[in-house]
Amino acid sequence: MYIQRSMESKLKYLAAHFPVVMVCGARQVGKTTLLNQIKDEMGEIQYVTLDYPRIRALAKEDPELFLQQYQPPLIIDEIQYAPELLSYIKIRIDQSNQSGLYYLTGSQMFHLMKNVSESLAGRVGILSMYSLSRAEIESRDSVPFLPCNIRNTESNDTITEIFEKIYRGGMPRMVTDPKLSPEDYFGAYMQTYLERDIRDLITVKDENKFLKFISCTAARAGQEVNLADMSKDIGIDRKTADGWLSILVSSGLVYLLHPYYGNTIKRIIKRPKLYFMDTGLACYLTLWNNPRALELSAMAGAMFENYVISEIIKGYVNHGIDVRSRLFYYRDNNQKEIDLMILENNKIYPIEIKKSADPGKDALKNFGVLNSLSEEIGEGAVICMSPLVVPLDEKNKLVPVKCI
């Protein structure tokens, strides 16, 4: 069963304007399925995957022959296995001056892949892809979240239903097969991830520690990155921890939300906060096997925040918007924190995230720290379990989690 992806229209737009389109993201989020779904609408397109060792060897050892054998328009799956192809693709697209020639997928984020941006700078349209958003699962239109665009939506969500969504996550297979257990799916997923993506990047003897590191990272979802503590817990040095975290980010499993700091802000915390882009994977790694137990646990607030942040990120990237220059958080040395700040057209929209149904005006207590900024402060929101959009004051409101 195919679930329509919000980025379909953006992908078609990029294919009409760029010779190369790249869809990057973690394994099994639906990159190949998306391209195969729309290829019939865009004409005859060949497909080849570099997962097969012989085809991968040809691409790496004789890129010219590979591209002679597989003519454009062409989908090349898992391009990170043969970056040698990219300079040859560049030559071919410069000679043809056509759009929509090559469609690439990769299980690493484009801006972190070695030599890729240099090879295809200005010639590639890029889309990042994550697991299914709630809007996609429910076949709803989605728009990037902004408090000023919220309509008076009613929500009948219960906290139990939300934690069931958090527990299962948004991986397409987990959505289309409701009887598949997270333990079975994510156990196999992690094994595939280790075998296909990690063994080329770390030594085999480190695999057990790497698995512990991923679990340690998941346990810190919604927290600031503290490499010293993480490396101490796993028994690795800080440099190794930094490298392994970079692998999780480049694989699309983890997103680092950076703090906002301008010239007028003093004494702020500069460490990023980390979030898992699929909450089902985070729950599996932290050994939760029951959504009700998670809901009642001390980790419930952090996992709820992780869910909200990841859904907002998906809403932006599904429209081809780079969130690195738009989404931030705030925390200073006085422990005043704002969970999320959206920067749009030189205006800041502050957002708090609360698991309760009626957090009240106390949730706005830290918004005042933004008054010292040069940017204009827009409407604010407290995303929570409220069943209705409820004004808290003239600029801020409670927003049901369904609205994201």
Side-chain angles (χ1 to χ4, degrees):
M1 183 180 70
Y2 176 71
I3 298 175
Q4 186 171 6
R5 304 305 295 253
S6 298
M7 63 173 56
E8 278 188 21
S9 58
K10 186 68 176 183
L11 193 155
K12 294 174 185 176
Y13 166 83
L14 293 175
H17 292 85
F18 288 91
V20 181
V21 177
M22 179 158 186
V23 182
C24 51
R27 285 193 170 275
Q28 301 181 27
V29 295
K31 304 183 296 294
T32 306
T33 303
L34 169 65
L35 288 172
N36 283 326
Q37 178 68 24
I38 68 170
K39 73 177 183 179
D40 293 336
E41 304 173 32
M42 305 176 72
E44 255 341 283
I45 304 179
Q46 279 198 89
Y47 169 82
V48 62
T49 177
L50 301 185
D51 267 333
Y52 292 115
R54 287 188 178 180
I55 296 177
R56 185 191 311 176
L58 174 63
K60 291 176 68 67
E61 296 166 10
D62 197 341
E64 181 64 37
L65 179 59
F66 177 93
L67 293 176
Q68 288 177 14
Q69 184 170 343
Y70 299 100
Q71 293 288 323
L74 174 67
I75 298 170
I76 305 177
D77 210 357
E78 304 297 356
I79 189 67
Q80 77 275 0
Y81 288 141
E84 295 85 355
L85 282 173
L86 297 170
S87 57
Y88 288 84
I89 289 174
K90 174 183 178 295
I91 293 170
R92 288 181 170 243
I93 62 179
D94 286 349
Q95 291 172 343
S96 68
N97 197 29
Q98 295 180 39
S99 58
L101 292 176
Y102 293 96
Y103 302 82
L104 313 178
T105 80
S107 296
Q108 294 181 23
M109 290 300 166
F110 178 86
H111 65 281
L112 295 173
M113 291 175 65
K114 291 181 179 178
N115 304 320
V116 177
S117 56
E118 292 85 351
S119 299
L120 297 178
R123 300 169 179 85
V124 57
I126 306 162
L127 286 171
S128 296
M129 193 175 199
Y130 296 107
S131 58
L132 291 160
S133 68
R134 180 178 177 180
E136 290 174 320
I137 294 170
E138 297 177 355
S139 300
R140 292 188 281 111
D141 290 335
S142 70
V143 295
F145 178 81
L146 271 183
C148 60
N149 294 335
I150 298 300
R151 304 292 180 260
N152 290 323
T153 303
E154 291 189 19
S155 172
N156 57 2
D157 284 338
T158 67
I159 192 67
T160 299
E161 290 169 341
I162 290 298
F163 271 87
E164 178 66 29
K165 297 179 191 300
I166 291 172
Y167 174 67
R168 290 191 65 83
M171 287 294 194
R173 182 76 185 278
M174 289 299 299
V175 174
T176 58
D177 187 354
K179 293 184 178 180
L180 178 61
S181 79
E183 185 169 354
D184 289 337
Y185 174 77
F186 287 112
Y189 182 90
M190 288 306 303
Q191 188 61 40
T192 302
Y193 176 64
L194 285 172
E195 289 180 353
R196 297 191 181 181
D197 293 337
I198 297 305
R199 285 183 177 167
D200 291 338
L201 300 173
I202 63 172
T203 56
V204 176
K205 65 182 178 64
D206 287 331
E207 277 190 15
N208 287 335
K209 284 191 175 182
F210 186 79
L211 275 173
K212 291 179 181 178
F213 179 80
I214 300 177
S215 299
C216 176
T217 303
R220 287 166 167 78
Q223 299 179 26
E224 293 172 19
V225 173
N226 189 325
L227 290 174
D229 284 353
M230 295 168 74
S231 58
K232 182 179 179 181
D233 288 348
I234 306 302
I236 56 178
D237 59 61
R238 180 170 177 153
K239 183 178 179 181
T240 300
D242 189 25
W244 287 0
L245 181 59
S246 295
I247 290 173
L248 296 182
V249 173
S250 67
S251 300
L253 298 184
V254 167
Y255 182 84
L256 297 182
L257 181 69
H258 288 274
Y260 179 84
Y261 51 95
N263 294 332
T264 57
I265 300 181
K266 307 298 182 184
R267 300 178 64 197
I268 60 158
I269 304 298
K270 295 188 177 182
R271 291 194 298 257
K273 292 173 69 175
L274 67 86
Y275 296 94
F276 265 70
M277 287 308 298
D278 189 82
T279 54
L281 178 58
C283 290
Y284 167 79
L285 291 169
T286 47
L287 304 180
W288 295 104
N289 59 13
N290 182 296
R292 180 63 175 168
L294 174 63
E295 176 192 339
L296 298 174
S297 73
M299 197 175 178
M303 201 62 79
F304 183 82
E305 178 182 331
N306 192 133
Y307 172 73
V308 171
I309 296 288
S310 64
E311 285 290 305
I312 291 175
I313 291 171
K314 291 174 187 178
Y316 277 83
V317 299
N318 285 344
H319 287 78
I321 299 172
D322 188 345
V323 294
R324 290 174 294 166
S325 60
R326 283 178 168 82
L327 304 185
F328 306 91
Y329 84 97
Y330 174 90
R331 180 180 289 167
D332 60 28
N333 287 347
N334 296 320
Q335 302 305 308
K336 290 185 176 180
E337 180 178 357
I338 298 173
D339 292 329
L340 184 66
M341 293 162 55
I342 302 177
L343 182 62
E344 187 79 20
N345 296 321
N346 207 40
K347 184 182 289 189
I348 290 176
Y349 298 87
I351 295 168
E352 277 293 306
I353 301 167
K354 301 294 183 184
K355 187 168 64 75
S356 61
D358 186 14
K361 287 189 176 183
D362 187 58
L364 308 176
K365 62 184 179 181
N366 292 332
F367 284 10
V369 301
L370 302 180
N371 293 332
S372 63
L373 301 183
S374 58
E375 291 85 359
E376 182 181 353
I377 307 304
E379 294 182 35
V382 180
I383 299 173
C384 60
M385 290 302 303
S386 171
L388 298 166
V389 176
V390 180
L392 290 173
D393 57 29
E394 64 278 6
K395 290 192 69 173
N396 304 289
K397 52 198 171 190
L398 298 181
V399 175
V401 69
K402 183 176 182 178
C403 292
I404 61 174

